[in-house]
Amino acid sequence: MTYFSDLSPYAYLLGETNPPTLNVGWLDSKHTYLQGETSEEFTERLWCFCRRQVAVMRGFHFCEFCHESPADAVLHWRGGERLLLGSAEIRVFSPNGVVYAAPNMIYHYVVTHRYCPPLEFIQAVLEGPLPDSPEYAALAIGCAWWEEAQRWWKLQDKHSR
């Protein structure tokens, strides 16, 4: 995976910067990152974002911090639900209009490696709209990734039944 410093302008996928978007959680083993505790409410809401991934890619990125079994990092369970991480991104809208892009591996980094994202991202996850909400859809309309994400979500929903 490509490394981007937290809160730098998003530039991973061409054409995906409308509206302007900031990076969070694009970690690699060559760069240090802030560690700390996050709340259960934050990790629960972060899971909700990871359930509704965008910019789905082919293949997986394996965690560079899991030296014993990096492939185990892509599979996570929460409350009986399973997610494969490492092949997509999430988008988070803050109440003040900032958009954040993160790899969906951010969940693994937070719960396994104690990654502590920037406070403004944490607040956006806690206070911004969740991906399944009408408020989120209203903000996402017109974003380059939105239509593809909706198609992917419908396919996921169909196969989860």
Side-chain angles (χ1 to χ4, degrees), residues 114-125:
R114 299 186 64 241
Y115 167 58
C116 187
L119 182 57
E120 61 188 74
F121 175 78
I122 292 172
Q123 289 174 326
V125 169

Side-chain angles (χ1 to χ4, degrees), residues 125-145:
V125 169
L126 292 172
E127 299 170 7
L130 289 172
D132 284 335
S133 71
E135 296 83 10
Y136 188 96
L139 292 168
I141 290 173
C143 294
W145 50 267

Side-chain angles (χ1 to χ4, degrees), residues 105-123:
M105 279 292 285
I106 192 171
Y107 182 85
H108 170 77
Y109 297 147
V110 167
V111 300
T112 305
H113 301 293
R114 299 186 64 241
Y115 167 58
C116 187
L119 182 57
E120 61 188 74
F121 175 78
I122 292 172
Q123 289 174 326

Side-chain angles (χ1 to χ4, degrees), residues 53-65:
Q53 56 201 4
V54 304
V56 178
M57 304 289 177
R58 294 180 180 173
F60 288 91
H61 166 76
F62 297 106
C63 179
E64 295 179 22
F65 305 109

